[in-house]
Amino acid sequence: MPLHRLARITMGVPQVDATHDYYADFGLTALGRGRFASADGGEQLKIVHAARRRLDELVVAADDADDLGRIGAALDRLEMPYVRDGLCLRAVDPGTDVTVTVEVQPRIVQPAAAPEPCNGPGRVARPDGRAPAVLREDAVRPRRLGHVVLGSTDQAASQRFFTEGLGFKVSDLVPGAAFLRCSTDHHNVLVQQAPIPFLHHSSWQVDDVDEVGRGATRMLEGHPERHVWGLGRHHVGSNFFWYLKDPAGNFSEYFADMDCIVDDQLWTPRVWEDARSLYSWGPPVPPSFLEPEDLAALMTGAHDAS
């Protein structure tokens, strides 16, 4: 796949300072002027002021300039406008109203976390010692940006833009939504039908389920209002999850153990229509996860602006 990762996002929010402090607590490294880096992915988040919360820009990394040429030709066939500027190409998805920029960037190589011994039935791999995970005291730092979930007023058009235009691939489907990938991760973008374009959540990779739990527990100390949903495990994508909420109303997710699709021929997309479309196990899904509490206000603001 010539596309190889979700490189960075620009998030527009009304509460810039409070949102900045939140993502510093979340474990991202502040670089100044609203910019943040993950441990392995470099600069991956920028926070700017906006009248209402939204995703302004989504940057996808490609291997070389020829890839941009192929994407431009595909967008021409779809009669979708774009701007080509050297080693980047910009287009706006009509359903999510997000500017998607494809940039030529090198691939990142993530250092592998050392496997930790795990005891189990009939298997003592860690005799006479405590689990290393319970001895961790350092702060949880997300390794990289994994995916974003976007509300689209025209889900079919958004799916066509990302797949037929940019070259994303479909991993799985649920009614009204598509899990799309531009890397070996099960999904990097999910577009779902919604009454208004909005950012549902950004998702950040950590090493394992203990880091998911440690990170969320630390975020909730003194801030119970940040909790949304977790700890649990998704069925679609298989990842462990815990969702939190930033001061602007965007959800952020710690995730670990995502399905990886290395050989497209060995993966068959499916349509999931039962509870597995949301999770395999965990607490009941809160209504605010399915329909964020500020959605009506966002809709009113959008109508006022128009």
Side-chain angles (χ1 to χ4, degrees):
M1 178 182 289
L3 302 178
H4 55 83
R5 68 183 175 108
L6 201 59
R8 66 181 184 274
I9 56 175
T10 298
M11 185 187 298
V13 298
Q15 311 92 335
V16 172
D17 291 343
T19 306
H20 182 283
D21 293 345
Y22 172 93
Y23 285 97
D25 287 349
F26 192 75
L28 298 176
T29 300
L31 302 175
R33 294 187 297 178
R35 296 155 44 242
F36 288 88
S38 63
D40 297 340
E43 182 180 339
Q44 296 208 281
L45 171 64
K46 184 176 182 181
I47 297 171
V48 299
H49 181 266
R52 65 179 179 89
R53 68 178 182 89
R54 53 168 286 123
L55 189 65
D56 278 354
E57 184 182 29
L58 175 72
V59 179
V60 179
D63 283 325
D64 54 50
D66 289 344
D67 298 326
L68 302 187
R70 286 188 285 270
I71 291 170
L75 292 173
D76 283 337
R77 289 192 293 272
L78 293 175
E79 298 183 341
M80 290 185 170
Y82 65 90
V83 175
R84 174 77 183 271
D85 181 13
L87 296 180
C88 70
L89 180 151
R90 292 183 179 86
V92 177
D93 168 37
T96 64
D97 198 30
V98 171
T99 297
V100 180
T101 301
V102 183
E103 288 184 1
V104 175
Q105 293 190 14
R107 296 186 178 232
I108 63 169
V109 177
Q110 290 188 276
E116 295 187 347
C118 181
N119 293 336
R123 182 186 74 252
V124 180
R126 192 188 67 249
D128 310 317
R130 303 184 195 280
V134 305
L135 302 177
R136 299 175 191 168
E137 296 182 352
D138 55 322
V140 172
R141 287 200 61 206
R143 297 282 294 265
R144 61 174 173 82
L145 174 64
H147 62 267
V148 295
V149 173
L150 302 172
S152 171
T153 56
D154 190 338
Q155 193 278 336
S158 291
Q159 182 174 333
R160 187 163 58 250
F161 170 80
F162 278 100
T163 56
E164 298 178 29
L166 303 185
F168 281 62
K169 297 185 178 181
V170 176
S171 297
D172 280 302
L173 300 166
V174 301
F179 294 81
L180 311 174
R181 68 184 186 275
C182 63
S183 72
T184 58
D185 281 0
H186 176 273
H187 57 282
N188 302 105
V189 170
L190 186 152
V191 286
Q192 60 184 16
Q193 186 66 36
I196 185 176
F198 74 102
L199 172 63
H200 185 274
H201 73 263
S202 62
S203 186
W204 302 82
Q205 183 192 52
V206 294
D207 284 341
D208 54 31
V209 65
D210 285 285
E211 296 298 88
V212 172
R214 287 204 316 122
T217 299
R218 168 65 182 82
M219 287 290 287
L220 295 176
E221 291 176 359
H223 293 281
E225 75 282 358
R226 291 174 170 175
H227 175 70
V228 177
W229 186 30
L231 172 71
R233 187 160 197 165
H234 287 302
H235 189 91
V236 183
S238 300
N239 50 297
F240 295 104
F241 66 82
W242 200 319
Y243 295 91
L244 304 154
K245 183 169 66 173
D246 73 23
N250 304 297
F251 301 152
S252 60
E253 176 191 16
Y254 291 115
F255 83 90
D257 195 21
M258 174 79 73
D259 288 336
C260 289
I261 302 172
V262 178
D263 187 338
D264 294 332
Q265 301 303 313
L266 299 180
W267 184 268
T268 302
R270 288 186 55 181
V271 179
W272 303 92
E273 300 187 70
D274 55 18
R276 291 175 296 179
S277 66
L278 289 168
Y279 67 135
S280 179
W281 57 261
V285 185
S288 63
F289 182 81
L290 301 176
E291 185 172 312
E293 295 170 348
D294 65 346
L295 191 57
L298 291 175
M299 292 172 64
T300 301
H303 294 156
D304 290 345
S306 63

